[in-house]
Amino acid sequence: MTSIPSTTQAGARPGATSAWRKHGQYEYRVLTFDRSTSVPDARKVLTDEAEYGRWELARTRLYMGGERRVWLRRKIIKVTPTF
């Protein structure tokens, strides 16, 4: 899996960063929340991503120092032309 540098997610709360990865049949998005991000704010960002972006929760990890990393995934839909 290749790593893509993190960039600040547009529309997200301060302290959230995002990175994209593609692997197999799924597309992954890694969100990183620093320790200053409150739980309700992080929950709101994850709820919006799931509801509007069709992402599902794949993994969460809490690191020393309070940084939280969340992996979201969604199935890659390949459209084949019908003509």
Side-chain angles (χ1 to χ4, degrees):
M1 200 178 330
T2 60
S3 177
I4 298 173
S6 306
T7 57
T8 303
Q9 177 188 2
R13 306 272 185 230
T17 57
S18 173
W20 296 81
R21 296 182 177 123
K22 289 186 179 183
H23 186 263
Q25 295 181 347
Y26 288 97
E27 177 179 22
Y28 288 88
R29 184 170 189 183
V30 181
L31 297 175
T32 304
F33 298 98
D34 61 3
R35 64 182 294 170
S36 65
T37 306
S38 68
V39 172
D41 286 343
R43 184 180 297 134
K44 176 68 175 153
V45 169
L46 294 173
T47 302
D48 289 344
E49 293 296 327
E51 189 171 340
Y52 300 114
R54 303 182 71 98
W55 293 96
E56 63 184 29
L57 184 65
R59 179 181 180 185
T60 61
R61 186 134 191 204
L62 180 63
Y63 292 95
M64 288 178 54
E67 180 180 87
R68 183 177 307 270
R69 207 167 276 171
V70 179
W71 283 261
L72 303 173
R73 73 177 187 178
R74 67 179 169 190
K75 203 159 188 81
I76 297 173
I77 301 171
K78 296 183 180 179
V79 179
T80 56
T82 58
F83 53 90

